[in-house]
Amino acid sequence: MKKIILAVTLALLTASTIGCGGSSLGETGISHYSDLPSQELTDAWYVFNKGNPYSSKTKFEQVLRMNVTDVQKSSAYAGIAFAVAKQNGILESYPYFEKALELDSSNRDAKVGMAGYYLSLADKTFFSKGISYLESMGVNSTSKVFIPDNNAELTDMSVHALLGLLYYYNGNYNDGIVLLKYAKYINEPDPEVDIKQVTDAFLSGF
Amino acid sequence: MKGKGILLAAFMLLLPAARALAQADNRAAILDNEAPKVVNIRITDPTPNSSHSMIYPEIFGIGELAAEIEFSEDMDTKVYADTSKMMEVALYLGNNREIKITNGSWLTRRYWVGALDSDAVINQFSDNGKIWVVVRYARDMAGNRMNEQKSAIYYLDISPRFTTPKIFPNPISTKDFIVSVESSEELIAPPQIFVWSKVVDMKQISGTRFVGSIYLEYSTVGVGAIRISGTDLQGNTGHWPQNVDDYPEGSAPGRFMVSAVGTDGGIVESPDGKVSVTVPPGGIYQEQLFLTMTEKPDQAEPWYGSIVDGSDVITVFPGALLRGRAAVALRSEAEYDKIGLFAVETGGLRFLGRASHSDGCLRAETPVLGRLVFAADSNAPEFEITSSGAEEASGIVRVRITDDLSGVDWTGLKVTASGRMLTADDMDAGSGWAVYRCPVGFEGEMVFTVSDQLGNAAESRFAPAVRATAKLNYLRFYPQPAFEDLNIDFSFDQVPGRVKLVIYDSAGRRVMAKDLPAAPSAVETVVMRKNGRLLGSGVYFYILSAEFNGGYCLEWKGKISLLGGEGL
């Protein structure tokens, strides 16, 4: 059990998680791509998803100095939040996630980030807040495929695993185990592969 | 008849030639009306070198002196009954006393040599051996008389002379006593003291001052006498008393009196070998050298000691056994606040201890024997802060502390940076260096305070331009939150000397520390346990510190979170 938790958490929140999730963009769920972000914002996320959080942070900051919509600003703040998480840890990202949700309460990336932040506080009194962010996007259902706004690291597997951890540590063990098993399944459906192999695969990505 | 005619004819033929010759000679005599001149006057052997082997007693150190005179033309060398027609050569001494030289002779018509009467020179000598020769009345072949001519000034080197020796103590209450004396010139070796059947080499304490210690293997209550002999650099030997006839067996002033044999209470050497130096009121007088010198026959190196100066400087020679009569001239009490006892060494004075003063006496104790002086010092040490630019940027500050006299109290050296006391990274009191390292990120002044051994304090301030040059490329902790294992991934732009991770809980308590690989980059796993138990869930703080080759240390701080395993 620990190994499963470790593996999915790594995939969710660490800096260099390999992109092994099986999500497909645009088929289900809510998307904000109709907002037509500026080219600069697109470039910034492209740089982030290429694994250069430091460069992307600069670009996100440049976007904020431009004449963009609140939704675009929200996206930029979310980008900064994830870049900061990679640089200094997710515990330092809270104000950026908060700003992103203040500008656009439907920012999916920011909601996942906020849920991760509450998990990282490692304090049971905050886990329910993280749960509510993820449940608002239907992640509590295994039939829902999570599609991020921009952050490609937020895979369907990792987001379900994050909610599973929040459930588990909040005392809802059954729901937690269900989601964690689901996360393991969509990450590695081969039943012959044990959890240790999955864990090693995650670790080898660093 | 025929023969007479031939002779007459020959006479007649030769007569004109003879007349011509006579006329020529008359012309020459008429033309030479100039006074003859002395080309050179030389006094030979003014510094004999053969008398040093003659110890006794009437050999006065003058060898065979001679005056040599050379003229510019042939001179009248005849001996006349009327001595006023003859050349006169006179030797003059420094006091213008004239001694005529009558035993000279002409070696040629132009060269005269006369021997000097050395007895006369010595007996009537004055003015440091200054002599010269005057030549007068000499005539050339034409009867022209010379003008008086004087030689250059010469100096005779005479035997060294000695002042009346001083004997301490006198009367003698032990078997040992010292003799001090001063010679009139430098000696080739220290003089010797002759006392009864004993011969003792004296020791040089300054250029022409000597002291000698005499240890009497036996002694008899009564009166004894000494004599001293010494040889100068030219080999002339002098004596005290000057003439053997003056040898003062039992007579003043070179006598000493043995009053008793026993222990003298004036010795102040302590059992541990330290010599306590005490200077009582009254001072030392230049001519009063009161210090016992002892030469112990059972020791390889004799002991000597003396006080040689009255200008507040006491010199103690090895093994000096001071007696209570030595003192510097006291000044005001305030002047003695900063007086120490110093050893006189090749490199200068070395502080031995602080002098105390009470009842008008200076006192100090020295752990060493040697030349010691009391001296005042009211100057504080001086700082010289010299760090290279690279060192300073790295926070390394080198400070050199010098003091002109009474040393540096290194134990009292304090260095603070922003009120925080720094400990020296390195210190070499011998060469006066200390090295300090500023705290990371230090901005402001370093404050140096130090005092010398006599309490003269000094303060110096220095604001180093500290900058860190190492760079952290990245630092990652994962997963976040961590469970049991926390992975650390870091990278520096240079190789660190040491890397350390310390983790604190939210209350600031240190819960874990781990040395990480001293590598430019590494991934390391920390098991989040303490005393075998998993740490509780929550937010923790970390400090990652790394030292680099320059000696400076950089720190990075942040938060990590841990989901403890209790609930799983």
Side-chain angles (χ1 to χ4, degrees):
Chain A
M1 185 61 198
K2 287 183 184 178
K3 301 298 182 185
I4 295 174
I5 293 170
L6 174 63
V8 297
T9 307
L10 287 171
L12 173 65
L13 297 171
T14 55
S16 54
T17 305
I18 55 176
C20 48
S23 64
S24 57
L25 290 172
E27 292 182 357
T28 59
I30 305 168
S31 173
H32 283 256
Y33 275 82
S34 59
D35 288 334
L36 298 176
S38 67
Q39 185 61 43
E40 287 76 10
L41 187 59
T42 302
D43 290 346
W45 277 112
Y46 176 79
V47 171
F48 178 86
N49 288 323
K50 291 286 287 182
N52 297 308
Y54 306 99
S55 301
S56 70
K57 182 168 179 281
T58 304
K59 289 183 174 293
F60 286 126
E61 289 168 346
Q62 289 174 348
V63 169
L64 290 176
R65 289 193 288 271
M66 300 170 68
N67 186 19
V68 290
T69 67
D70 284 352
V71 172
Q72 290 168 330
K73 283 185 180 179
S74 172
S75 179
Y77 274 114
I80 292 172
F82 284 111
V84 169
K86 289 185 178 297
Q87 286 182 274
N88 304 314
I90 197 169
L91 291 169
E92 306 295 335
S93 300
Y94 175 78
Y96 304 101
F97 286 131
E98 186 181 45
K99 187 69 178 177
L101 289 172
E102 179 184 315
L103 291 166
D104 179 7
S105 60
S106 61
N107 187 320
R108 297 166 62 85
D109 292 349
K111 285 183 178 180
V112 175
M114 195 63 95
Y117 166 76
Y118 283 123
L119 177 67
S120 294
L121 288 178
D123 186 336
K124 193 174 180 179
T125 57
F126 295 104
F127 291 159
S128 58
K129 291 187 177 180
I131 290 169
S132 65
Y133 278 117
L134 296 180
E135 286 181 343
S136 69
M137 296 185 290
V139 179
N140 52 316
S141 170
T142 55
S143 62
K144 279 283 185 180
V145 176
F146 177 80
I147 299 174
D149 289 340
N150 294 288
N151 187 348
E153 289 185 349
L154 304 181
T155 64
D156 186 39
M157 180 276 294
S158 62
V159 174
H160 279 92
L162 175 59
L163 182 56
L165 285 170
L166 286 166
Y167 280 150
Y168 186 89
Y169 278 95
N170 200 36
N172 187 353
Y173 302 116
N174 292 333
D175 289 345
I177 293 297
V178 168
L179 287 181
L180 288 168
K181 283 185 176 179
Y182 173 72
K184 188 267 176 186
Y185 172 77
I186 60 175
N187 178 70
E188 181 51 73
D190 185 355
E192 297 299 318
V193 177
D194 64 19
I195 192 63
K196 184 175 186 308
Q197 289 174 295
V198 175
T199 303
D200 289 345
F202 277 110
L203 290 175
S204 65
F206 295 98
Chain B
M1 186 65 190
K2 184 179 178 182
K4 288 182 180 177
I6 293 171
L7 288 173
L8 181 61
F11 176 78
M12 294 301 289
L13 287 172
L14 291 173
L15 184 58
R19 285 179 176 166
L21 285 172
Q23 289 173 351
D25 187 54
N26 288 338
R27 280 198 300 272
I30 293 169
L31 289 174
D32 181 13
N33 55 6
E34 293 183 1
K37 293 180 181 177
V38 173
V39 175
N40 188 26
I41 303 175
R42 196 155 60 96
I43 301 175
T44 60
D45 198 18
T47 57
N49 56 11
S50 59
S51 60
H52 61 277
S53 62
M54 305 174 199
I55 303 299
Y56 277 122
E58 298 91 354
I59 306 303
F60 301 112
I62 286 219
E64 295 299 322
L65 298 186
E68 300 173 4
I69 304 168
E70 185 180 358
F71 290 89
S72 60
E73 59 181 304
D74 289 350
M75 303 297 289
D76 182 358
T77 60
K78 291 178 182 176
V79 178
Y80 295 94
D82 182 1
T83 55
S84 66
K85 294 182 179 179
M86 297 174 61
M87 178 178 72
E88 182 177 294
V89 179
L91 171 70
Y92 283 82
L93 306 181
N95 57 359
N96 280 325
R97 182 177 178 83
E98 178 189 271
I99 302 172
K100 290 189 175 150
I101 302 174
T102 58
N103 59 353
S105 61
W106 290 94
L107 299 183
T108 68
R109 283 189 176 274
R110 297 190 178 193
Y111 197 77
W112 183 93
V113 175
L116 300 179
D117 182 349
S118 60
D119 283 347
V121 172
I122 290 304
N123 291 334
Q124 302 175 60
F125 168 77
S126 65
D127 199 8
N128 295 322
K130 182 179 177 182
I131 59 173
W132 66 95
V133 165
V134 171
V135 183
R136 56 177 79 96
Y137 308 143
R139 296 186 303 175
D140 62 13
M141 296 296 291
N144 298 309
R145 179 164 289 186
M146 67 174 290
N147 297 318
E148 182 175 293
Q149 281 191 248
K150 180 181 174 182
S151 74
I153 302 297
Y154 285 76
Y155 288 89
L156 285 171
D157 182 75
I158 61 170
S159 301
R161 291 170 295 159
F162 296 97
T163 59
T164 300
K166 295 180 173 63
I167 300 174
F168 311 107
N170 197 3
I172 299 169
S173 58
T174 64
K175 289 184 178 181
D176 58 280
F177 63 97
I178 63 169
V179 176
S180 71
V181 74
E182 186 169 1
S183 67
S184 59
E185 59 180 309
E186 285 189 66
L187 301 182
I188 197 169
Q192 292 178 310
I193 304 171
F194 297 81
V195 51
W196 294 333
S197 60
K198 191 177 181 69
V199 180
V200 175
D201 292 327
M202 302 186 82
K203 298 293 179 184
Q204 185 180 30
I205 58 174
S206 67
T208 57
R209 304 183 74 171
F210 302 90
V211 292
S213 71
I214 295 102
Y215 182 84
L216 303 173
E217 285 80 0
Y218 59 90
S219 60
T220 303
V221 174
V223 176
I226 62 167
R227 55 185 171 79
I228 296 171
S229 294
T231 303
D232 67 13
L233 300 179
Q234 288 73 37
N236 303 309
T237 299
H239 310 276
W240 187 94
Q242 194 168 25
N243 294 312
V244 68
D245 294 338
D246 298 331
Y247 183 72
E249 184 70 45
S251 61
R255 67 180 182 177
F256 61 90
M257 185 172 72
V258 181
S259 60
V261 176
T263 303
D264 191 291
I267 296 173
V268 290
E269 183 188 28
S270 62
D272 61 1
K274 294 181 179 178
V275 176
S276 179
V277 182
T278 302
V279 181
I284 287 179
Y285 300 97
Q286 191 84 22
E287 300 303 322
Q288 291 180 318
L289 309 179
F290 289 113
L291 186 64
T292 296
M293 171 183 284
T294 291
E295 185 176 30
K296 296 183 177 178
D298 57 343
Q299 295 189 356
E301 292 294 330
W303 291 20
Y304 298 97
S306 186
I307 294 177
V308 296
D309 197 331
S311 56
D312 292 359
V313 176
I314 297 175
T315 303
V316 182
F317 287 86
L321 304 178
L322 297 173
R323 297 178 193 274
R325 287 178 289 178
V328 295
L330 282 178
R331 296 170 295 192
S332 67
E333 286 289 311
E335 290 180 273
Y336 287 99
D337 285 344
K338 298 289 176 62
I339 289 184
L341 182 68
F342 301 85
V344 182
E345 298 179 341
T346 305
L349 298 181
R350 180 164 65 92
F351 181 80
L352 293 178
R354 194 169 193 159
S356 62
H357 61 100
S358 62
D359 302 327
C361 296
L362 271 177
R363 293 184 180 84
E365 192 172 84
T366 171
V368 300
L369 298 174
R371 300 186 66 191
L372 309 175
V373 298
F374 280 111
D377 175 23
S378 58
N379 296 320
E382 293 183 357
F383 290 92
E384 178 189 6
I385 298 171
T386 56
S387 296
S388 68
E391 285 180 330
E392 186 179 329
S394 303
I396 296 175
V397 176
R398 294 178 182 273
V399 57
R400 183 176 188 176
I401 305 171
T402 55
D403 184 75
D404 59 343
L405 201 58
S406 53
V408 175
D409 179 12
W410 287 92
T411 60
L413 173 61
K414 293 179 182 176
V415 180
T416 59
S418 301
R420 173 180 163 188
M421 187 76 73
L422 300 183
T423 303
D425 264 20
D426 193 13
M427 182 182 288
D428 183 356
S431 57
W433 283 97
V435 179
Y436 290 86
R437 185 182 303 181
C438 292
V440 173
F442 172 73
E443 292 181 359
E445 284 186 330
M446 298 175 74
V447 181
F448 300 81
T449 56
V450 73
S451 61
D452 63 16
Q453 303 278 5
L454 291 176
N456 299 302
E459 179 183 297
S460 182
R461 293 171 180 268
F462 178 63
V466 183
R467 66 176 186 275
T469 57
K471 179 185 174 186
L472 177 70
N473 293 327
Y474 59 80
L475 170 65
R476 291 181 293 193
F477 291 89
Y478 61 86
Q480 281 294 279
F483 299 93
E484 183 173 358
D485 296 337
L486 173 67
N487 298 296
I488 305 160
D489 185 4
F490 62 84
S491 172
F492 302 110
D493 66 346
Q494 54 188 276
V495 180
R498 184 184 180 192
V499 182
K500 188 171 186 177
L501 174 71
V502 181
I503 296 175
Y504 302 86
D505 65 15
S506 57
R509 292 172 299 212
R510 177 171 155 157
V511 296
M512 185 177 293
K514 182 172 183 176
D515 287 325
L516 303 179
S521 63
V523 178
E524 191 75 2
T525 300
V526 177
V527 179
M528 302 296 283
R529 288 178 178 270
K530 183 177 183 183
N531 299 325
R533 299 186 61 182
L534 281 172
L535 296 175
S537 298
V539 175
Y540 292 80
F541 300 89
Y542 71 85
I543 295 179
L544 180 73
S545 59
E547 290 183 2
F548 294 90
N549 292 335
Y552 55 91
C553 182
L554 294 179
E555 293 179 348
W556 294 268
K557 301 174 184 176
K559 288 185 268 186
I560 53 175
S561 66
L562 175 66
L563 275 174
E566 293 88 348
L568 295 175

